[in-house]
Every structure is written in structure tokens, then in C-alpha cells.
Amino acid sequence: MAAPASKSRVTRRVYALGSLAAILFGYDNGIISAAILFIPHELPLTPLLKGAVVSSTVVGAMVGALVSGPAADRFGRQRALLAAGVVFAIGALGAGVAPTVAVLVLFRFVIGLGIGIASVVVPLYLAEMAPAGERGSVTSLNQYMIIVGTALAAATGYGLAFVASWRWMILIGAFPAVVLVLGLLAAPDTPRSLVRRGRPEQGRALLAGLRGNPAAADRELAEITELERQQRDARLGARMSAPWVRRLLLLGAMLAVFQQITGINTIVYYAPGVLTTFGVSEVTALLFTFLNGLLNILTIAVVVRAGVVDRWGRKPVLLAGLVGMSASLFAVGAAALVLPAESPVLFGIAVAAFVVFTNTFSATWGPVLWVVLAEIFPLAIRGAAMAVATLFNWLTDFFVSLTFPTFTALVGAGVVFIAYAAAGVIVFPIVWWYVPETKQRSLESLERAFRKGTRFRRPEG
């Protein structure tokens, strides 16, 4: 490996590539909310087929998430992200030119594979590159860029709504995917992945470039190497069944499920459709989605720049998010039950509630879930464990995306939104009691503490 570049240049390149993969995640996941309004103009869709077009991406994400974790452990984080870029490009091209609903569903599944890979590997890549004191903010870049991608999808959907061009809405996603592939061909793997795969000198050179301090790089490399040696000597790498690892897997899976049962993807996938039932046009509904996406970018930019996750801690941010999200969904649900369907007041309440909900999510559960998941699992199985937790996230997302139209038709949007609000209330005490506080601790110190069964709720120092 060549001599390390300056800290700023290495850091910018590493974070930019991880962030671009997250943008593709957000774009390809979010564009369907606009495209699904216009696909029936060309390809006939029953309610069941509409659910299949939306949820096929989620099924692909499950498969991508499950496969990518072990692959990232074996072949490295950089190669896994490279695979995601290739899959994103193929999926966008195939779905954009799909001649039938069946082909569209197939390539939406392929897009989902890329989303699943990115959902596991991007947080790993960013967390393992970042220093301990900045890890929360750096890993939050994942959610920030997902929101940027979602906002770009909303802007594209709104712009192309005037010509009802759902195909170009999807096809545009292929262009940044090609850029991602080209960038990753020369990108580094993470120091921890390099050490684990027997390349400590490359890991040290990369750490020196990332930290800008050879002595600090040596200390961090020594800590990583010692923990890897201990794991190898104790054969901990294959012990997914170890009791302390099982506890962490359960915690990770629970948090992944909790993020989805608060109802976020009812808004991401179906907000424009819900708003049209309140008496506004498709273009007006997409304009709201676009403007709210811009506000989401501002919200999470403030969160990342202010270092909220690193200053306040993971648990307080999660708890605050549950309060804001449940209150906003209860407000729109109650309004939908008592006000006429096309009431301007109902539309106003729905818009305000969706703004509060999505921006609260963007500042709390959106980024913090992935920060926590990237922190709590042991290095030897971090990719595989992330894959398991992320699989539960996508399984719950699949249930939400597939059933929301049916549940809404059966009992009405008001009851459904109140049910998701109630889920947030139920989750609150579980998070309060079981989620550890991980801020300002090195990944290696966290692993040692979890292995010993240490219960801690405050940061070191």
C-alpha cells in the first residue's frame, strides 16, 4: 500500500463513498412512492400487485442483508459495497425498462438486494473508519445520506409527475450507482477488516491516514490486533451461539423491529397516496413529499453537525424520538377518525403530523439504530450479526409495506396510525431498561464489557 495521504483527503474519500451508497439506498427505496402513482397508467395494478411492486424491494433487501454480512466479514467491507453498486445499477436499468409487472417486480427485487447490502455494510464501513469520539456523528452520516437520497427521489418524482414518467424516475438511479462502482474500485477497506483478514500493515497505513497521527494509529492498531488475537485463541469468531452474543443479537433484532413498528415506512411508501385520499391532487401530494424531504435534510444536518448522538448519548435520543413519533401519529390518526375525509383541516393536521414524525425519525431512530447496531456486535462476527439484525428490520418493513393498504381499506387510516403510535408507547420502557449507553467508548472496550456481562449506562470518562 502506498504511503498514507493526508488525513483530510483520506477521510473525505472514505466518508464520501460510504455516503454515496446510502444516497442510493434512500433514492431507490423512496422513489417508489412517486412512481407507484403513475405505473397503473401503463401497467395494470390490482391492490395486491401494488403491494407486490412496493414490497418486492423489501424482500430483496432481506436477502441482500442476510448474505452481505458474512460476505463483508470474509471478503471485506469495500468489496461488499462494490457489489452493492453493481446490483443497484442492474436493478435500476431493468426496472426502468420493464415491459410487464412481473419483470418490474423482479428488478425491484434486484434493487432491494443492493439496498439490503447497503443497509448492513455502510454503517459498518463508517463506524469502523471513525474515531471513538466521533463514531456516532460519522455513522449518522448513513441516515443523513439516506434522507438526502429520499429527498432527491421526492424532487425527481415531483419534477417528472408533470409528464407521469415513472420509468425515468427509476432509471435515474443507475447513474449514481455507476459513480459508486468507479469510486469503490480504488477505495480502502476498513482497518479492522484488514487486520482480521491478515493485512495489519495496510490497516496501520490506513489508520495513520485517517487519524493524521502515527502514534495514535499504532495504539489503535495494537488494541484491534490484541482483541483479534484473543478471539482467535479462544475461537470466539464462530460462536454466534455464545450466551453473551445471543443477548446482543436479541437486543439488535429488537431494536431493528422497533424502528419499523413505529410506522416510518407507512410514510415513506404511502404518504402521497394517503394525502390524495384527503382531497388533494397527485402533484400536490408529491410537492409536500419534496418539501418535507428538504426539511428532513436540514434536520439531520443539524443533528450531525451538532454531534447530538455523541453529546447526548444513544439512549436519550431514542427515547425522545419515541415520544415525538407516537404523538404525531396519534394526532393524525385521531383527526382521521373524527374529521371528514376531504376536510382541509384534516389535510393540514396530516401534513403537520407527517412533518413532525419524519423529522423526529430523521433526528433519532433513523441514524441511532444503525449507530448502535454497528457498535454492539463483536468484531469477529460483526458483519454476520449486523445481517441478522438488519434482516429483522426488513422483515418488519415487509410486513408494514405489504399490509398497510389492506389494513387501511379494512379499518381506515386513523386506526392504523393510532396502532403504530401505541407501538411506540409500548417500546419506550423496553428501550429505557435494556439499551446500553455506548457513546465515547472504543469498539474494543465495548466488546470486552459485553463479554463480561457488564451493565453500563454512562460513558467512560
Side-chain angles (χ1 to χ4, degrees), residues 104-171:
L104 177 60
V105 169
L106 172 63
F107 280 98
R108 286 288 297 168
F109 171 85
V110 174
I111 289 173
L113 293 175
I115 291 174
I117 297 169
S119 67
V120 172
V121 182
V122 173
L124 281 180
Y125 191 75
L126 294 174
E128 292 186 355
M129 291 291 195
E134 301 173 12
R135 193 171 56 245
S137 297
V138 170
T139 310
S140 294
L141 285 173
N142 174 55
Q143 184 65 26
Y144 178 46
M145 292 303 172
I146 291 174
I147 295 298
V148 169
T150 304
L152 289 173
T156 303
Y158 175 66
L160 294 176
F162 294 96
V163 292
S165 182
W166 66 269
R167 291 189 182 276
W168 273 108
M169 293 179 189
I170 296 173
L171 279 168

Side-chain angles (χ1 to χ4, degrees), residues 164-232:
S165 182
W166 66 269
R167 291 189 182 276
W168 273 108
M169 293 179 189
I170 296 173
L171 279 168
I172 286 172
F175 297 104
V178 172
V179 174
L180 176 64
V181 170
L182 295 176
L184 281 167
L185 288 174
D189 202 354
T190 70
R192 288 169 175 82
S193 181
L194 289 169
V195 169
R196 185 167 187 269
R197 294 188 298 118
R199 302 176 184 176
E201 289 305 314
Q202 291 184 14
R204 184 196 177 282
L206 178 57
L207 279 170
L210 288 169
R211 306 295 181 253
N213 184 330
D218 287 339
R219 288 193 298 271
E220 191 168 347
L221 180 68
E223 189 174 19
I224 295 169
T225 303
E226 175 60 19
L227 184 60
E228 174 66 14
R229 184 193 64 77
Q230 291 175 3
Q231 291 176 333
R232 186 168 55 250

Side-chain angles (χ1 to χ4, degrees), residues 16-82:
L17 288 170
S19 297
L20 182 55
I23 288 175
L24 278 163
F25 176 151
Y27 184 90
D28 286 324
N29 193 48
I31 195 62
I32 195 62
S33 67
I36 201 69
L37 297 175
F38 304 105
I39 291 172
H41 297 178
E42 186 177 344
L43 302 176
L45 291 181
T46 64
L48 180 60
L49 286 176
K50 179 184 287 189
V53 170
V54 173
S55 61
S56 59
T57 302
V58 183
V59 176
M62 294 181 206
V63 178
L66 192 60
V67 171
S68 63
D73 282 338
R74 182 173 180 180
F75 301 111
R77 309 338 185 187
Q78 176 264 352
R79 290 182 181 177
L81 284 178
L82 181 62

Side-chain angles (χ1 to χ4, degrees), residues 283-377:
V283 171
T284 300
L286 291 173
L287 176 61
F288 159 74
T289 304
F290 167 51
L291 295 176
N292 189 42
L294 295 180
L295 184 57
N296 271 263
I297 292 175
L298 177 62
T299 297
I300 197 166
V302 170
V303 170
V304 172
R305 188 170 183 82
V308 170
V309 180
D310 286 316
R311 293 173 59 191
W312 290 9
R314 287 44 162 165
K315 182 187 290 189
V317 175
L318 290 174
L319 294 172
L322 289 171
V323 173
M325 291 189 295
S326 291
S328 55
L329 284 188
F330 180 81
V332 67
L337 289 177
V338 301
L339 294 173
E342 297 188 0
S343 165
V345 176
L346 174 57
F347 175 73
I349 292 174
V351 165
F354 289 168
V355 167
V356 171
F357 179 90
T358 56
N359 282 272
T360 301
F361 179 87
S362 295
T364 59
W365 277 83
V368 177
L369 169 71
W370 304 109
V371 173
V372 174
L373 291 183
E375 291 176 328
I376 63 175
F377 297 125

